[in-house]
Amino acid sequence: METPAIPLPKDEGEREILDNLVAIRDHLLLLKRDRTKYIRTQDVMLLYEQVIDQVKKLNEIRKGAVTKAENRLDKVLESCFQLLSLFFMTIGRTTEAPAAYALTSTIKRLLDHLTESGLFSAKDLDSMWHTLSTLDDVLRNTDAKHSPYLVELLANRENLCKETLTELRTKLDRLAKPLRDVHEKLISILRSMSLANTKAKFSTTEVQKLQNQLKDIDASRVNGNFVSVEGNVLEGSEEVADLVRRCLLWSDTVLERKGAIPDSFKSQYDKLVGIRNDLEKLSITQAWSLRETDLYDYQRELDKIDESRVDGNFLDDEGKPAELYVQRTLLYLIRRSYGYIYYLMISSEPVSEALLPYYNQLQTLKRCLVEVKNSGGVSSARDLYPYSMKLNSIDNLRVDGKFVVGGDLPEGQGAVNELLAECFDLAYELRVAAEDNVAQSD
């Protein structure tokens, strides 16, 4: 990747490993870009094993050595693990250790931003805590075939994320229970204003409505404090009052600027809006259009922009820092984009992309059948013909009970077969109920 500022390794052995990893990374990038065929498990596993072999050699070279600053080898190795992690998701191995690498990277980024801004909700933290708890199980039950180096690396990253989460949770726990809902509402309003501020067409009315909600919350204070029903000042009142003040100031700024970004930061802004919009579309259509490896390019671009900040500030071409309005707007877009990447990763199904078309069709069929059942069923078995025909067409694709694609047996056979069986069961229940109704009417 673009790492000219990162020094080359001095050790000859490390240089050789670097060359090997660059070749593997390039192979992974070519495989990622090839849309003419599905990604096969055996291709991914071959490249994974090659990376692990290089890691073993690296550990031998660095054994007992004093920890040094990162060199280009570390960066390329990180790129390899990041790509492999997304490949594991793409082939449906979402519950194996390598798949967790990209997810922990994204969670770490999100937590760093939440810590920096101090603006987060309980929902943000609960979701990430749940995800990390799931990764706990993955690492505990990891197969011996996975590198101990990778497992240890993931465990350390997970613990680091949990420590940060605990610190952030402690800050929210200081708020009295009645104020937690107010705090949650304020964070939601703040994000809605930032969204309105970055839309292609700025809506003054939309922001004014949000500002009015803020004013209502502000007006609920008594002598400047948030109080209980008994009239006692609630714990955390000062902190939430300060958040109200910050939100009101932001609403004034947004209404004044109306989404106008100075030319010196327009290219960065346009690039971030483009990334955010692409990821937003993927979050809506991900079941049908997402190949998890596509997230690599977005993540790298975001990392590059995020890491270009100096002392937390964005700089223009002349090295001048962005004003507060521009700073907050750009940071919002970065955080929102990382949020979409996180959502897309945790939504990844344990099914290879080769089987996803069948899996997605069956999920749609299941939703339709459940809806039919909940709305009272069908009047006759004939009404189920379209569903039965589709189910049978998918069932007929199996060979000895398995879905074969291009001579391969893609990952996720169990998940697709289980879903197929559920759909057949639902269709059978509906047919029996319809036949019983006809018999009773006769």
Side-chain angles (χ1 to χ4, degrees), residues 193-208 250-262 266 269 325 329:
M193 283 193 297
S194 294
L195 172 60
N197 182 50
T198 55
K199 285 183 178 177
K201 188 175 180 181
F202 184 84
S203 171
T204 300
T205 307
E206 184 180 353
V207 179
Q208 283 174 336
W250 181 239
S251 67
D252 287 337
T253 305
V254 168
L255 286 169
E256 179 189 341
R257 300 296 293 266
K258 293 182 170 55
I261 298 293
K266 196 73 169 65
Y269 174 80
Y325 169 74
T329 301

Side-chain angles (χ1 to χ4, degrees), residues 6 45 47 186 213 252 264 309 321 336 371 408 410 429:
I6 308 295
M45 294 310 296
L47 291 164
L186 288 169
Q213 292 180 42
D252 287 337
S264 52
R309 294 191 287 152
R336 184 67 174 159
E371 186 63 32
D408 297 322
E429 288 174 25

Side-chain angles (χ1 to χ4, degrees), residues 170-180 183 235-237 239-240:
T170 302
K171 292 181 179 178
L172 287 185
D173 289 343
R174 289 201 298 260
L175 302 179
K177 283 190 178 180
L179 277 184
R180 291 177 193 175
H183 183 272
E235 190 174 351
S237 171
E239 186 178 335
V240 176

